[in-house]
């Protein structure tokens, strides 16, 4: 009824329609405040409830243990590429596993702050897979190990949690947070830009084990980058990204109504399986990635002939499927099928792929 199209954007991406409807209904007068969330003081009672409910809902949905702090920050996941070494380096050593573009950027940024070791990479294989445990060259005295849990651009995912033998594991979950349950206790720190699966751009979620945070960081570390300070002030050291936090709450409530992350996972698994099966059956397109490393959120595919890829992007756009063009560094196509992409959208895409194939083989 809204004439919405199927939007496969990698980020910012689709939000659930019931969330947008609720935001619309509350737009001009939220919770009888007589104003929109965008207009209210972050220190007001109404907003204080909103941010507290958002944190409580995130804790509930992700089963975050009590010894973890939740922070609602700004600066995107990219800001955390610097914040993480600034906050977590003690001896100065950290290990990075590079499985795509974002983990490569994180690795490069960290080098400004310490002795950063490349523990494994699959760059030589075009990032088509995640390294196996036995391929990881981890240092027992590192302050932390950094991974990117879901590689948004290449469409791969860590389908196991690496064993780091007590060294805290830090994970960029920007493009997979809230897609399925994760055992938070296995991680020292989890971070995510919200614009893929949680909220509009502007919010970055950081979930960190309490004992890893400390206020006495080197003098050069900006106060705004000090996790301990931000956590001690309950994300209110300064003005937080108020509206994205509010939408985050609505999204979490939507997930709870669906039955939580177990239910979310079933829906996501079903969508991804449908699309991968369609690509396996295709004689025109294929997904280049190792089956064991497949992402449930970002599915890449391409035809050998680049003219066919260009034609597919053009025709799919005309047919109401937007943003299927792959990242400029990879080419081909990429369907981002985050939580908010309805099953019918994936079904329709599979039908379109079959139709396109019958016309172009
Ligand atoms: C999108 C994305 C980023 C970049 O996020 P920003 O919020 O734009 O800084 C980093 N890591 C991953 C895995 C992403 O998907």
């Amino acid at each position: 009824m809204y004439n919405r199209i199927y939007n496969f954007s990698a980020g910012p991406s689709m939000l659930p329609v019931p969330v947008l409807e609720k935001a619309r209904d509350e737009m001009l007068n939220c919770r009888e405040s007589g104003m929109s969330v965008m207009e209210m003081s972050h220190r007001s009672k109404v907003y204080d409830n909103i941010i507290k409910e958002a944190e409580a809902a995130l804790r509930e949905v992700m089963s975050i243990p009590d010894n973890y702090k939740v922070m609602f920050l700004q600066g995107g996941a990219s800001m955390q590429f610097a914040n993480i070494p600034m906050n977590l380096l003690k001896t100065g050593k950290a290990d990075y596993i590079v499985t795509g573009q974002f983990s490569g950027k994180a690795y490069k940024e960290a080098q400004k702050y310490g002795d950063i070791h490349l523990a494994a990479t699959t760059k030589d294989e075009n990032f088509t897979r995640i390294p196996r445990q036995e391929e990881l060259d981890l240092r027992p005295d590192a302050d932390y190990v950094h991974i990117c849990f879901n590689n948004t651009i290449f469409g791969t995912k860590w389908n196991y949690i690496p064993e780091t033998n007590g060294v805290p594991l830090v994970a960029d979950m920007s493009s997979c947070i809230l897609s399925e349950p994760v055992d938070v206790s296995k991680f020292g720190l989890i971070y995510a830009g919200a614009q893929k699966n949680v909220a509009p751009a502007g919010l970055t979620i950081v979930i960190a084990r309490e004992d890893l945070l400390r206020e006495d960081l080197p003098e050069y570390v900006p106060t705004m980058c000090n996790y301990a300070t931000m956590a001690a002030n309950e994300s209110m050291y300064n003005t937080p990204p108020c509206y994205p936090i509010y939408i985050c709450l609505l999204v979490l409530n939507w997930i709870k109504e669906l039955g939580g992350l177990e239910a979310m996972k079933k829906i996501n698994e079903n969508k991804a399986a449908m699309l991968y099966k369609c690509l396996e059956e295709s004689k025109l397109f294929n997904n280049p990635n190792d089956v064991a490393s497949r992402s449930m959120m970002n599915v890449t595919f391409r035809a050998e002939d680049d003219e066919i890829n260009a034609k597919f992007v053009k025709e799919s756009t005309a047919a109401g499927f937007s943003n299927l063009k792959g990242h400029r560094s990879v080419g081909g196509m990429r369907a981002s099928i985050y939580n908010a992409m309805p099953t019918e959208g994936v079904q329709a895409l599979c039908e379109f792929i079959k139709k396109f194939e019958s016309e172009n083989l």
Side-chain angles (χ1 to χ4, degrees):
M1 78 173 151
Y2 302 113
N3 269 338
R4 283 171 64 82
I5 59 175
Y6 292 124
N7 174 9
F8 293 89
S9 169
S13 30
M14 288 186 80
L15 285 163
V17 169
V19 166
L20 296 173
E21 285 174 331
K22 173 92 172 157
R24 174 199 61 197
D25 293 346
E26 293 186 331
M27 176 68 79
L28 280 90
N29 184 355
C30 183
R31 301 186 178 191
E32 293 169 13
S33 64
M35 58 182 93
S36 81
V37 176
M38 285 178 270
E39 302 166 297
M40 72 185 48
S41 164
H42 60 293
R43 309 276 177 204
S44 65
K45 188 72 205 144
V46 175
Y47 195 76
D48 194 54
N49 285 335
I50 289 173
I51 193 168
K52 288 208 164 81
E53 285 169 31
E55 177 173 341
L58 187 69
R59 285 184 177 279
E60 181 188 338
V61 167
M62 288 186 72
S63 307
I64 300 173
D66 287 344
N67 63 327
Y68 282 72
K69 294 285 188 194
V70 170
M71 286 164 263
F72 295 121
L73 308 178
Q74 304 192 46
S78 303
M79 182 77 234
Q80 313 319 312
F81 296 167
N83 284 354
I84 286 158
M86 285 197 291
N87 281 271
L88 300 190
L89 284 177
K90 280 187 192 150
T91 69
K93 289 183 179 181
D95 291 353
Y96 276 66
I97 302 170
V98 173
T99 52
Q101 199 180 92
F102 291 116
S103 49
K105 281 185 173 172
Y107 169 60
K108 186 154 178 258
E109 186 75 9
Q111 284 167 10
K112 294 183 180 176
Y113 303 99
D115 163 11
I116 308 300
H117 167 65
L118 183 63
T121 180
T122 46
K123 187 168 193 287
D124 290 349
E125 293 162 70
N126 253 330
F127 298 123
T128 49
R129 69 179 182 89
I130 297 298
R132 294 179 297 275
Q133 177 75 44
E134 63 272 21
E135 294 177 280
L136 311 180
D137 177 32
L138 300 173
R139 299 182 294 187
D141 57 346
D143 291 325
Y144 65 91
V145 177
H146 180 280
I147 61 173
C148 178
F149 214 53
N150 182 76
N151 298 284
T152 324
I153 293 174
F154 293 90
T156 60
K157 182 190 166 235
W158 286 80
N159 285 314
Y160 73 99
I161 297 176
E163 177 55 64
T164 56
N165 295 310
V167 176
L169 182 61
V170 173
D172 179 352
M173 292 200 186
S174 295
S175 51
C176 59
I177 191 167
L178 301 182
S179 63
E180 62 180 338
V182 286
D183 183 350
V184 175
S185 73
K186 293 266 186 350
F187 298 86
L189 186 147
I190 291 169
Y191 67 103
Q195 68 273 24
K196 316 287 165 62
N197 223 3
V198 189
L203 166 65
T204 311
I205 293 174
V206 175
I207 301 163
R209 218 174 67 205
E210 238 163 29
D211 61 287
L212 298 176
L213 305 185
R214 58 188 213 283
E215 221 141 345
D216 60 325
L217 296 177
E219 267 303 308
Y220 67 80
V221 177
T223 308
M224 281 293 295
C225 296
N226 189 315
Y227 286 146
T229 303
M230 298 313 270
N233 287 278
E234 299 180 313
S235 305
M236 289 275 204
Y237 176 79
N238 70 327
T239 317
C242 300
Y243 200 75
I245 292 169
Y246 159 75
I247 298 288
C248 169
L249 169 61
L250 301 188
V251 167
L252 288 162
N253 287 340
W254 173 76
I255 292 173
K256 283 205 282 184
E257 270 172 41
L258 284 175
L261 291 186
E262 283 295 347
M264 200 74 252
K265 179 184 186 181
K266 283 211 179 77
I267 297 168
N268 286 329
E269 273 178 343
N270 176 41
K271 286 188 293 184
M274 204 188 316
L275 187 48
Y276 281 116
K277 179 164 178 281
C278 166
L279 295 171
E280 278 166 10
E281 288 168 0
S282 171
K283 293 186 184 68
L284 194 56
F285 299 113
N286 87 302
N287 167 276
N289 296 333
D290 179 46
V291 174
S293 304
R294 279 176 177 172
S295 167
M296 189 162 69
M297 296 281 101
N298 311 96
V299 180
T300 58
F301 57 101
R302 64 187 311 154
E304 265 167 53
D305 181 351
D306 259 337
E307 269 174 41
I308 291 285
N309 292 323
K311 190 169 183 230
F312 184 89
V313 169
K314 194 163 166 251
E315 291 185 11
S316 59
T317 307
F321 303 92
S322 81
N323 290 303
L324 281 169
K325 192 170 196 267
H327 190 270
R328 57 190 182 280
S329 65
V330 182
M333 276 74 70
R334 169 180 52 175
S336 294
I337 49 172
Y338 299 119
N339 288 354
M341 172 58 67
T343 303
E344 302 82 70
V346 178
Q347 248 156 5
L349 175 60
C350 290
E351 279 157 29
F352 183 82
I353 289 172
K354 290 203 173 91
K355 178 170 158 283
F356 181 89
E357 192 168 314
S358 70
E359 292 163 358
N360 290 277
L361 255 186

